[in-house]
């Protein structure tokens, strides 16, 4: 048994090649503190009769601890849940063009609020405004940090102290228990509900419009759908009413899309251009959902109303930085050619993947994955259903395929799921019908899965 005298000093371990390398990677002070704590543990264990580890073993443990401590919790994962736009995983993946544009904006000063032609102060929205107008047909456009912010500043600017007329069937709750009535209250707008949960008619809106009305609000029920005995009023039907009342029609599209979803083989969703053409004075929508860009909230519509929104003091609090503006500009440029957008934007590309392509991938990967599983586990190809996520087409699913992983007992799927989450590249699936399902819709490179799972052995 090695005695306490065999325990090396801090200085001795720091002066080794491994010690110097760790200091270069993590810094002298963090390495020294971690090493002192490790040696203290070894000393306590030795006093209880344990053997003192060799210096090489101590340095290996030190390296493992420093690596674990320095690893960010916000790290890349493999999304095999079957939800393409997964809110908990950051929603849309950015195109390489957007990633490159963001990186360039981070590396050097950028003309964020400088008009290079005149040398005078410019506006940061100018980098996006014309592209948004061209893509949506709107007179003007502005942008804030997410769609909830877009709705908030629009309501506050156009309706503070007045009523917003909205159907009861559109008073949605979005992720994190944020509810439309709460946003309206925070914006200083009084809610005027009309109709019932399942049926609202034009006459309901007409009878609710008074001198106290500040706007007519249309909200896309993006994260649910009411079916059966239902009735609703379209934005096109509400537009003439808003004109007669002399108040703006605000249409919150939620996720929002710039292209026809039929191009991806999906059911139709109202495009932003269609919403503008139907007569909405303001249309709000997200940047990081179906659009496939970074988190943002777009506001497009009448130039006079956009000007009022831009003068709201909240605009400064909700504005974007140069990194997201650069990524958004690169994303919007791809939409100049629809075919190019579908090919280059990961969200649209993943949504378009066909079941046959994904099943072929599952059949290729199944033997390799089975060989990497812990003893007693099996893998089999299975059909499954993907979903878009983030409130887009909530009841529609996409035929997909994946791997069904089973183990020796009923708790095996949970144990395996926990082991996969603990990998250096965490791997996330979903548990269903007594198995861990790995939906491969969002896996574009076979090696990413087998490479991550290699550590299981």
């Amino acid at each position: 048994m090695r005695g306490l005298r065999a325990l090396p000093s801090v200085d001795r371990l720091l002066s080794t090649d491994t010690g110097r390398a760790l200091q270069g990677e993590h810094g002298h002070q963090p390495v020294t503190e971690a090493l002192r704590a490790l040696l203290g543990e070894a000393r306590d264990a030795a006093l209880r009769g344990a053997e003192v580890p060799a210096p090489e073993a101590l340095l290996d443990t030190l390296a493992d601890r420093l690596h674990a401590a320095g690893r960010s919790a916000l790290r890349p994962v493999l999304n095999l849940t079957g939800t393409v736009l997964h809110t908990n995983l950051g929603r849309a993946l950015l195109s390489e063009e957007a990633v490159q544009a963001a990186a360039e904006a981070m590396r050097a000063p950028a003309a964020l609020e400088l008009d290079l032609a005149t040398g005078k102060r410019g506006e940061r929205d100018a980098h996006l405004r014309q592209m948004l107008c061209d893509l949506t047909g709107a007179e003007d456009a502005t942008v804030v940090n997410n769609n909830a912010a877009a709705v908030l500043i629009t309501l506050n600017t156009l309706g503070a102290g007045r009523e917003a007329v909205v159907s009861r069937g559109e008073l949605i709750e979005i992720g994190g228990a944020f509810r439309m009535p709460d946003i309206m209250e925070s914006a200083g707008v009084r809610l005027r509900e009309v109709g019932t949960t399942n049926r609202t008619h034009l006459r309901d809106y007409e009878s609710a419009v008074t001198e106290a009305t500040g706007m007519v609000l249309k909200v896309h029920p993006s994260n649910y759908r009411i079916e059966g005995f239902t009735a609703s009023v379209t934005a096109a039907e509400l537009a003439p009413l808003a004109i007669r009342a002399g108040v703006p029609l605000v249409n919150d599209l939620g996720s929002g899309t710039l292209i026809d979803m039929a191009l991806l083989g999906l059911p139709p969703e109202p495009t932003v251009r269609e919403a503008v053409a139907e007569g909405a004075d303001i249309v709000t929508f997200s940047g990081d959902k179906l659009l496939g860009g970074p988190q943002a909230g777009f506001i497009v519509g009448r130039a006079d109303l956009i000007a009022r929104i831009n003068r709201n003091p909240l605009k400064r609090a909700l504005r974007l930085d140069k990194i997201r503006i650069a990524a958004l500009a690169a994303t919007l440029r791809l939409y100049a050619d629809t075919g190019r957008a579908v090919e280059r934007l990961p969200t649209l590309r993943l949504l378009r993947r066909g079941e046959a392509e994904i099943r072929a991938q599952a059949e290729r990967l199944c033997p390799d994955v089975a060989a990497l599983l812990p003893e007693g586990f099996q893998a089999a190809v299975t059909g499954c259903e993907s979903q878009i996520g983030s409130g887009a087409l909530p009841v529609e699913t996409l035929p997909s395929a994946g791997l069904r992983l089973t183990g020796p007992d009923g708790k095996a799927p949970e144990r395996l799921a926990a082991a996969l989450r603990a990998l250096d590249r965490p791997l996330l699936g979903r548990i269903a019908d007594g198995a861990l399902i790995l939906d491969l819709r969002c896996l574009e490179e076979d090696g990413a899965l087998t490479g991550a799972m290699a550590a299981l052995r």
Side-chain angles (χ1 to χ4, degrees):
M1 179 177 293
R2 295 164 57 90
L4 281 175
R5 292 182 179 179
L7 195 66
S9 69
V10 171
D11 289 341
R12 177 186 167 190
L13 293 177
L14 289 177
S15 64
T16 63
D17 291 343
T18 301
R20 286 192 292 269
L22 290 174
Q23 292 174 79
E25 182 179 357
H26 300 282
H28 174 75
Q29 184 173 341
V31 173
T32 301
E33 291 176 354
L35 184 54
R36 284 174 177 158
L38 178 59
L39 289 173
E41 294 171 15
R43 185 179 297 107
D44 292 342
L47 291 174
R48 294 193 299 269
E51 185 174 354
V52 172
E56 294 78 11
L58 287 167
L59 288 169
D60 286 344
T61 301
L62 177 65
D64 290 342
R65 290 188 179 184
L66 289 168
H67 173 71
R71 186 172 59 184
S72 172
L74 183 63
R75 63 185 193 270
V77 304
L78 282 178
N79 176 16
L80 305 183
T81 64
T83 301
V84 177
L85 294 170
H86 200 303
T87 297
N88 297 342
L89 301 181
R91 294 180 179 160
L93 302 179
L94 300 190
S95 67
E96 288 302 316
E97 289 84 352
V99 171
Q100 181 62 32
E104 290 177 357
M106 287 187 277
R107 289 194 185 102
L112 178 63
E113 291 186 354
L114 177 68
D115 187 330
L116 292 174
T118 65
K120 298 180 180 180
R121 185 184 179 111
E123 296 181 12
R124 62 182 63 197
D125 286 357
H127 300 283
L128 305 171
R129 179 180 293 116
Q130 192 56 54
M131 283 188 288
L132 284 167
C133 292
D134 292 342
L135 291 168
T136 66
E139 290 181 4
D140 202 355
T142 190
V143 61
V144 289
N145 65 338
N146 63 21
N147 191 52
V151 174
L152 175 69
I153 193 171
T154 297
L155 293 174
N156 180 258
T157 302
L158 306 182
R162 307 186 74 187
E163 293 181 348
V165 180
V166 60
S167 168
R168 285 188 174 88
E170 297 174 4
L171 293 175
I172 62 172
E173 177 179 311
I174 58 178
F178 288 97
R179 296 179 172 182
M180 181 58 71
D182 296 336
I183 294 174
M184 296 173 71
E185 182 179 359
S186 298
V189 174
R190 297 194 302 274
L191 170 62
R192 180 65 184 273
E193 303 175 40
V194 299
T196 63
T197 302
N198 61 317
R199 290 179 70 81
T200 302
H201 305 279
L202 182 59
R203 62 179 180 272
D204 296 320
Y205 288 93
E206 291 172 335
S207 62
V209 172
T210 66
E211 291 184 356
T213 303
M215 69 176 65
V216 177
L217 178 62
K218 179 76 177 169
V219 182
H220 189 296
S222 54
N223 54 3
Y224 75 99
R225 183 175 298 170
I226 299 175
E227 297 180 339
F229 186 59
T230 65
S232 61
V233 184
T234 67
E237 294 172 309
L238 290 174
L241 170 62
I243 292 172
R244 291 196 301 272
V247 297
L249 169 61
V250 176
N251 190 351
D252 172 27
L253 290 183
S255 181
T257 177
L258 295 177
I259 65 171
D260 183 356
M261 290 288 99
L263 295 173
L264 307 177
L266 298 173
E269 273 282 286
T271 67
V272 180
R273 179 175 286 276
E274 288 170 346
V276 171
E278 285 175 344
D281 298 291
I282 290 291
V283 178
T284 62
F285 59 103
S286 294
D288 58 336
K289 297 180 182 178
L290 287 177
L291 191 137
Q295 179 178 296
F298 294 113
I299 309 170
V300 302
R302 277 172 40 190
D304 61 321
L305 300 182
I306 295 294
R308 288 174 57 189
I309 290 170
N310 281 330
R311 289 194 297 270
N312 190 317
L314 282 173
K315 181 61 163 55
R316 184 175 181 83
L318 302 175
R319 69 184 183 179
L320 301 186
D321 66 357
K322 66 174 183 176
I323 301 168
R324 270 197 281 176
I325 288 175
L328 282 171
T331 301
L332 292 174
R333 278 193 289 271
L334 292 174
Y335 278 97
D337 181 277
T338 301
R340 188 162 176 252
V342 172
E343 286 294 331
R344 300 297 297 167
L345 291 168
T347 294
L348 303 185
R349 193 168 64 237
L350 294 175
L351 290 175
R352 194 183 61 167
R353 291 190 76 191
E355 180 184 9
E357 175 190 346
I358 304 172
R359 179 170 287 275
Q361 182 182 35
E363 291 171 349
R364 286 196 310 271
L365 282 168
C366 189
D368 293 336
V369 169
L372 294 170
L373 290 173
E375 186 176 351
F377 284 81
Q378 301 84 37
V381 176
T382 185
C384 50
E385 297 290 327
S386 304
Q387 61 180 359
I388 297 173
S390 292
L393 295 169
V395 301
E396 307 293 342
T397 57
L398 310 172
S400 187
L403 300 175
R404 188 174 190 270
L405 309 183
T406 54
D409 57 69
K411 293 294 184 180
E414 287 85 355
R415 293 199 306 273
L416 181 57
L420 293 176
R421 290 196 305 272
L423 295 173
D424 279 346
R425 178 86 181 269
L427 193 159
L428 304 175
R430 67 175 184 267
I431 294 176
D433 300 325
L436 178 61
I437 306 298
L438 305 182
D439 188 321
L440 301 186
R441 174 169 293 278
C442 294
L443 183 72
E444 294 192 279
E445 298 180 7
D446 292 5
L449 175 57
T450 54
M453 290 187 65
L456 276 179
R457 283 294 188 179

